[in-house]
Structure formats: structure tokens, C-alpha cells
């Protein structure tokens, strides 16, 4: 089968399509025939060597939408089921940008019935990151939450999910994104942080760091989206970061919210595996609204 990998670190030009053995599912695993999967900043980080792994073949891709192709006993999924899953990893030879992937059965969820595979392939990583971050913040209804990068993938999901919980969301993004951010459920908007000070918590999807921390009230909370990369605690502000993990049950809840119209899946463009380098180049340019999606 074909898979998108890197064998050396560098720019988009190092991304290649390799011939790989089709993986076999073990006990309590399923093999998914991939239909689509989003390209995320973590893939660019793997490509540039941020996580190490020099001299190895490293697979790319964390998001997968497709159909169950084979199951390892015992498993609750059946061949032909339309599913989505998170395929985490930064040092494995095979990622989700492959024609077939194997994942643990409990990491899998039924795909949203209202979305095609290209759109469904944008949900797992960013949706789970957003909901797990909100869980860590433990905000009660009526609390104020500033979401930086509110027009992005993680930020956009976080705005919708937080507003659904009765949290007052302040969305921070570029001035031109105000209409979009408000449409996602933000009660207030800021481009430069003006009027954002004193919030109960920040979900820093834009990775602003100390700048975003300054907008939190004394005794509030700050949460980053890069594991282990967050400012130290000051003024009694609790700081931390989310390390996204597979969770099929939670992913199924997110898929149901998509079908209810409560979560918006946004696709900025699609690329064939052979054009994966072009997709990486487009991602590096910035300003993408929605996710770029790779299809076999």
C-alpha cells in the first residue's frame, strides 16, 4: 500500500509516498481502509524533526475517516462500518496518511452520518483536543473563557463546545475573522486582546503563551495545546497543557454533535497523497481556515 512518510527532515520537499506493508490488526484492534485524513501542524513538526527520529522512516497523519476493513477478535466493529479515529504518534513508521491503518477498537467511533469522509476526517484530532482541554479547565456555566486562535480548527471547535456548555466565550482571532468567530458562538470578539482581560480562563489555541496568560484574572486558569509547553503559574493562575489521547466514546459524542448541527466541520482544500508536499507547503503559508485534507 501507499503511505505518506518522511525519511529525512526539512521542508515540504522531503515528504514522499512510500510502498509499505499492509498492517494486520491484532486482538481488540481494527484495520481501517482510509478515505481521508486532515493535515495538522503536528505533521509539520514531525517533518521538521521537532520530535526527533533522525534516520528513521516516520509516518504522517493523526486523523482518519474510512471504513472498517478487518477486525481482530474480539471487536465490536464490523467490516464495512463507516468510522473515524485518532491515530496518535510522532515516531512510528506508519501514520494515518496511508491507504490502511490499524488502531485499537476503543479509539474508533462511528463517522458522522451527515458528513462525507473528507469532512469527517477533520474531526478526531482537533475535536478531541478541544473537548479534552475544556474538561481540564473545569469551567462552570457562566464562566468566561478566552479562546485564542478562535477561527482555527481547535479554536473553532472549542468556541462551539464551550458555548454549548453555557460558558461565555471571548474569541480572539484576526479582525477579518470576527463574523466567523461570532457565528461559532462567541459572545465577544477581540483581535488584539482589547477588552479580554480578567477572564476566568484562556484556552490558548494560537500558542500566544505569556501574552494570553496576562489576560487571565488572578486565580484563573490557562491551558495550552502543546503538551508540556505552557507558561509557569503566576498570580495564582493554574497553568497547564492538553496532551490529546484517543477516546472512541468521546469521539462518538463529537460525531453526534456534528449530526445535530452543533459542531461545524471545515475543509480548506483536498490533496492526493502524491501532492502531500504541496499540502504541507500550503499549511506552512498560514492563514488556512479549516483543514487541508489528504485523500489516497
Amino acid at each position: 500500500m501507499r503511505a505518506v512518510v518522511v525519511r529525512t527532515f526539512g521542508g515540504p520537499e522531503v515528504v514522499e509516498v512510500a510502498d509499505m506493508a499492509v498492517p494486520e490488526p491484532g486482538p481488540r484492534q481494527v484495520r481501517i481502509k482510509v478515505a481521508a485524513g486532515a493535515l495538522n501542524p503536528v505533521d509539520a513538526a514531525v517533518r521538521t524533526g521537532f520530535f526527533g527520529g533522525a534516520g528513521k522512516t516516520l509516518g504522517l497523519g493523526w486523523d482518519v475517516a474510512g471504513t472498517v476493513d478487518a477486525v481482530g477478535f474480539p471487536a465490536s466493529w464490523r467490516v464495512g462500518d463507516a468510522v473515524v479515529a485518532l491515530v496518535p504518534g510522532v515516531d512510528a513508521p506508519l501514520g494515518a496518511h496511508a491507504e490502511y491503518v490499524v488502531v485499537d477498537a476503543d479509539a474508533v467511533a462511528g463517522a458522522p452520518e451527515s458528513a462525507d469522509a473528507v469532512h469527517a476526517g477533520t474531526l478526531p484530532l482537533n475535536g478531541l483536543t478541544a473537548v479534552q482541554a475544556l474538561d481540564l479547565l473545569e469551567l462552570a456555566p457562566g464562566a468566561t473563557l478566552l479562546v485564542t486562535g478562535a477561527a482555527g480548527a481547535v479554536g473553532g471547535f472549542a468556541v462551539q463546545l464551550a458555548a454549548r456548555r453555557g460558558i461565555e466565550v471571548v474569541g480572539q482571532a484576526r479582525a477579518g475573522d470576527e463574523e466567523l468567530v461570532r457565528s461559532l458562538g462567541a459572545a465577544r470578539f477581540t483581535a488584539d486582546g482589547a477588552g479580554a482581560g480578567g477572564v476566568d480562563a484562556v484556552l490558548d489555541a494560537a500558542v500566544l503563551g505569556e501574552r494570553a496568560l496576562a489576560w487571565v484574572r488572578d486565580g484563573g486558569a490557562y491551558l495550552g495545546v502543546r503538551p508540556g509547553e505552557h507558561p509557569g503559574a503566576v498570580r495564582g493562575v493554574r497553568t497547564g497543557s492538553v496532551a490529546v489521547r484517543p477516546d472512541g466514546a468521546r469521539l462518538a459524542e463529537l460525531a453526534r454533535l456534528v449530526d445535530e448541527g452543533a459542531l461545524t466541520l471545515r475543509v480548506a482544500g483536498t490533496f492526493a497523497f502524491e501532492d502531500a508536499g504541496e499540502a504541507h507547503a500550503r499549511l506552512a503559508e498560514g492563514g488556512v481556515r479549516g483543514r487541508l485534507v489528504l485523500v489516497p
Side-chain angles (χ1 to χ4, degrees):
M1 69 168 188
R2 296 173 303 147
V4 181
V5 303
V6 292
R7 303 181 197 270
T8 186
F9 300 138
E13 71 281 354
V14 304
V15 178
E16 60 179 287
V17 179
D19 290 326
M20 306 282 282
V22 176
E24 295 296 333
R28 297 181 176 84
Q29 291 185 320
V30 299
R31 185 171 67 205
I32 300 171
K33 183 178 182 180
V34 177
L39 175 66
N40 291 284
V42 66
D43 298 310
V46 172
R47 187 198 77 225
T48 58
F50 180 83
F51 300 104
K56 299 180 180 179
T57 295
L58 301 175
L60 301 176
W62 284 45
D63 286 312
V64 61
T67 54
V68 174
D69 173 72
V71 300
F73 181 81
S76 57
W77 298 98
R78 297 176 299 178
V79 172
D81 286 342
V83 295
V84 289
L86 179 67
V87 186
V90 295
D91 59 0
L94 186 65
H97 294 160
E99 292 183 308
Y100 295 89
V101 296
V102 166
V103 297
D104 291 340
D106 60 6
V108 179
E113 296 180 359
S114 60
D116 58 26
V118 169
H119 284 79
T122 67
L123 179 63
L125 174 58
N126 297 289
L128 285 172
T129 298
V131 74
Q132 290 172 9
L134 291 174
D135 290 345
L136 289 170
L137 286 171
E138 299 179 311
L139 297 175
T144 53
L145 172 67
L146 174 66
V147 178
T148 71
V154 173
F157 283 141
V159 170
Q160 291 185 300
L161 291 167
R164 184 179 176 84
R165 296 184 181 192
I167 297 167
E168 181 181 344
V169 180
V170 182
Q172 182 274 334
R174 297 184 306 184
D177 289 320
E178 179 173 0
E179 182 178 353
L180 167 63
V181 172
R182 288 188 180 277
S183 75
L184 295 174
R188 290 186 278 152
F189 177 85
T190 182
D192 57 6
V199 293
D200 294 313
V202 164
L203 200 173
D204 190 15
V207 198
L208 300 183
E210 298 282 355
R211 181 183 172 202
L213 178 62
W215 295 327
V216 183
R217 65 166 174 79
D218 293 356
Y222 167 101
L223 200 73
V225 295
R226 292 181 177 174
E229 294 188 34
H230 52 268
V234 294
R235 300 181 288 105
V237 177
R238 171 171 59 95
T239 65
S241 52
V242 59
V244 67
R245 64 188 186 281
D247 186 335
R250 211 60 193 279
L251 186 53
E253 294 175 7
L254 295 173
R256 286 192 291 271
L257 291 177
V258 171
D259 287 335
E260 293 173 9
L263 275 186
T264 304
L265 303 178
R266 294 177 289 152
V267 173
T270 59
F271 293 80
F273 278 5
E274 289 76 13
D275 299 322
E278 294 180 22
H280 277 251
R282 176 64 188 92
L283 180 65
E285 292 174 0
V288 177
R289 290 295 170 257
R291 278 291 178 240
L292 304 172
V293 179
L294 298 185
V295 295

